[in-house]
Amino acid sequence: MRSPPLFYAAVVVIAKYKPEKAHGAGKGFDMLDQIKGLHHVTSMAASARTNNRFFTDTLGLRRVKKTVNFDAPDVYHLYYGDEVGTPGSVMTYFPFPHIARGRPGTGEVGTTLFSVPEGSFGYWTDRLTKAGVEGLKMDAAFGENRLQFAGPDGDGFALVEVRDDPREPWTGNGIGEDHAIRGFHSASLRLRDEGATAELLKFMGYQPIDAKDGILRLGVPGGNGADVIDIETMPNVSGGRLGAGSVHHIAFAVENRTKQLEVRKALMDTGYNVTPVIDRDYFWAIYFRTPGGVLFEIATNEPGFDRDEDTAHLGEALKLPAQHAHLRSMLEEHLEPLEA
Ligand code: ZN
């Protein structure tokens, strides 16, 4: 396994921001109302080409950005979503060639779930089976039909049938409107103890919706469609180990930088150590480690993925942030070419 030192240095910087013991969250502080659901989910992969093929060909999402990991520019950062990469639809990856698989456990995101139209599971079962996708299993949770499947590195995914999800799907990769993914439905957090993280989510504006079989479901009112977080409590399961197929962090959406600063201040006032605002070119980001171990990000909806290329050609060219522009010829030589 290649060790990208810059990347791990960046992870360490973020990991240093550990929550302190006494949190005010949920203890008389006003709940926030700036957070509008998920923004993106970022995971790790072992092969850029396999990853790209899976999300575009198999799942039918649009690659909306081909850039590099800003903290480790010799590695891609690939973004997949709807036509313009609307917050709440964006699955992103750091493909580190040949890294070992992660070991699933607690303190991480367990399953990332996508919304598809009601009645589409026959189509999806057939499509995923033909593509050789593993781990297919149909079940139901909280009154919704769910089709679980594994990503190329064992990533925990599921489709959920949702009636009348108003979000526009991307149909440019051959999956029609009757079946195409609308965006995220939810994500589940696997924790040894739900307590402090549930309090944090409530502070962030999430409300408990239901609880069943050791899973607490929370939702944010007035969200972008990717409104639900499930907390799976697993007191006897040890911590996960980050690797291919693991979620690196999960990002929540705020409209703009003003709202982001409000959230940052509120989190810091309740005892969280939050990073300074970081420019990610397509959004602004702050990060903080949650009590259960999951790395959270708050990301802005502005400026969006069309800030440096036309909507018609999103994701086609290799885009580099200004600080890494001088590395272009080296990176073009070094990065594995992707299929369109
Ligand atoms: Zn992120």
Side-chain angles (χ1 to χ4, degrees):
M1 167 180 164
R2 206 161 52 89
S3 291
L6 271 174
F7 176 72
Y8 286 107
V11 170
V12 169
V13 168
I14 290 169
K16 203 177 68 179
Y17 288 85
K18 285 241 160 65
E20 286 152 15
K21 272 206 176 96
H23 291 287
K27 297 187 181 77
F29 286 76
D30 285 340
M31 292 207 325
L32 300 173
D33 62 3
Q34 295 89 343
I35 290 165
K36 300 299 179 192
L38 295 177
H39 187 287
H40 62 271
V41 176
T42 294
S43 293
M44 298 171 67
S47 161
R49 282 173 77 87
T50 303
N51 184 258
N52 180 66
R53 202 179 302 130
F54 185 77
F55 283 92
T56 57
D57 281 3
T58 306
L59 295 187
L61 299 180
R62 184 182 199 192
R63 191 178 71 229
V64 293
K65 195 61 63 182
K66 180 165 76 170
T67 183
V68 294
N69 183 326
F70 288 14
D71 303 315
D74 60 338
V75 171
Y76 277 123
H77 195 175
L78 303 176
Y79 292 76
Y80 311 98
D82 66 7
E83 182 178 19
V84 294
T86 306
S89 78
V90 185
M91 187 75 215
T92 100
Y93 273 87
F94 301 136
F96 286 95
H98 312 301
I99 57 163
R101 272 202 183 185
R103 185 192 61 210
T106 49
E108 63 179 3
V109 171
T111 309
T112 303
L113 300 95
F114 299 94
S115 165
V116 295
E118 216 171 36
S120 66
F121 275 2
Y123 169 89
W124 278 106
T125 303
D126 191 45
R127 183 179 184 90
L128 297 178
T129 302
K130 278 185 181 144
V133 173
E134 294 181 1
L136 287 178
K137 185 184 151 199
M138 217 176 318
D139 64 1
F142 298 107
E144 296 168 324
N145 293 323
R146 192 165 64 171
L147 177 59
Q148 301 187 53
F149 63 100
D153 297 296
D155 324 50
F157 289 127
L159 303 174
V160 180
E161 285 190 338
V162 177
R163 184 183 299 168
D164 301 328
D165 188 330
R167 294 177 289 173
E168 284 266 324
W170 170 248
T171 54
N173 284 342
I175 301 183
E177 199 155 346
D178 292 348
H179 307 120
I181 287 173
R182 265 46 182 176
F184 293 123
H185 166 276
S186 58
S188 75
L189 311 180
R190 280 193 301 239
L191 306 177
R192 287 181 83 118
D193 171 7
E194 71 172 34
T197 303
E199 288 308 311
L200 167 64
L201 283 164
K202 288 182 208 166
F203 180 64
M204 289 167 60
Y206 282 76
Q207 296 174 5
I209 298 173
D210 205 348
K212 209 175 179 186
D213 303 328
I215 301 173
L216 172 65
R217 169 158 288 194
L218 302 112
V220 67
N224 60 16
D227 302 341
V228 171
I229 297 286
D230 287 337
I231 299 184
E232 301 177 59
T233 304
M234 303 171 136
N236 301 316
V237 175
S238 56
R241 189 187 57 218
L242 195 65
S246 306
V247 173
H248 181 265
H249 64 268
I250 180 170
F252 296 85
V254 291
E255 190 185 334
N256 56 40
R257 297 187 68 192
T258 305
K259 307 254 186 209
Q260 183 181 52
L261 288 175
E262 290 167 10
V263 172
R264 182 171 187 273
K265 179 174 188 311
L267 288 167
M268 291 181 68
D269 285 349
T270 64
Y272 284 94
N273 283 309
V274 185
T275 65
V277 177
I278 300 172
D279 183 358
R280 295 304 190 194
D281 273 17
Y282 311 105
F283 48 88
W284 299 82
I286 56 175
Y287 304 85
F288 62 107
R289 186 71 66 179
T290 62
V294 183
L295 183 60
F296 276 13
E297 175 185 341
I298 310 289
T300 58
N301 291 352
E302 60 179 6
F305 294 97
D306 55 0
R307 75 171 281 273
D308 61 357
E309 53 190 344
D310 285 345
T311 302
H313 295 285
L314 278 186
E316 292 175 11
L318 177 66
K319 306 306 281 188
L320 297 175
Q323 65 270 33
H324 299 319
H326 66 285
L327 301 173
R328 177 171 289 277
S329 58
M330 183 274 280
L331 292 173
E332 282 175 346
E333 182 89 356
H334 165 87
L335 291 165
E336 188 181 11
L338 301 179
E339 295 146 312

